[in-house]
Amino acid sequence: MNPSLASRTRWLLAAVALLLLATVAVLTIEAATSQADAEARTAIVDPSGSVHRKIGVPSHIVLVGSSVKSLTTGGITRTCESNRYLVVAGGSLSWVEVTLHKPANQWNRAVRVVAVGWSSKPRQAC
């Protein structure tokens, strides 16, 4: 292998590793501090919820992404958030997407939809 190509390859691998590490750090901080994450996790572990009915009792929940959308009209702000998780339950791995909303002019979020499964989509998009 060409020495300059090997050097570029090492730099590229280091950059990718750094990007992955930064992503994990950001998701870890978000999971530790986010009220929305706490609400979503509560919905995921709810014994009467859809996660328990479809895949069983969750043993591990890993936040893998989130998004937030806000709309202000007439002085009222509405916020919708979507958190995506990998959930281990009963030895199987499943995708869970929790859609939350922030009621008009309120701080705390509330769960709107918990979609379970790799091909599931929330019924009501943000």
Side-chain angles (χ1 to χ4, degrees), residues 23-113:
T23 301
V24 168
V26 166
L27 290 173
T28 301
I29 291 168
E30 182 175 345
T33 61
S34 170
Q35 185 266 333
D37 180 67
E39 288 296 323
R41 287 174 184 270
T42 299
I44 290 171
V45 299
D46 178 9
S48 63
S50 60
V51 174
H52 277 253
R53 286 192 310 271
K54 292 182 179 179
I55 62 173
V57 179
S59 59
H60 293 71
I61 302 169
V62 179
L63 176 66
V64 294
S66 72
S67 60
V68 178
K69 296 177 185 175
S70 294
L71 175 65
T72 302
T73 55
I76 297 175
T77 300
R78 289 186 171 79
T79 301
C80 182
E81 188 164 344
S82 177
N83 287 1
R84 290 159 301 285
Y85 298 88
L86 287 177
V87 176
V88 177
S92 65
L93 182 66
S94 186
W95 180 262
V96 175
E97 186 165 349
V98 180
T99 303
L100 304 106
H101 71 285
K102 192 170 169 184
N105 297 322
Q106 292 189 17
W107 177 251
N108 291 333
R109 283 133 178 106
V111 172
R112 181 176 286 156
V113 178

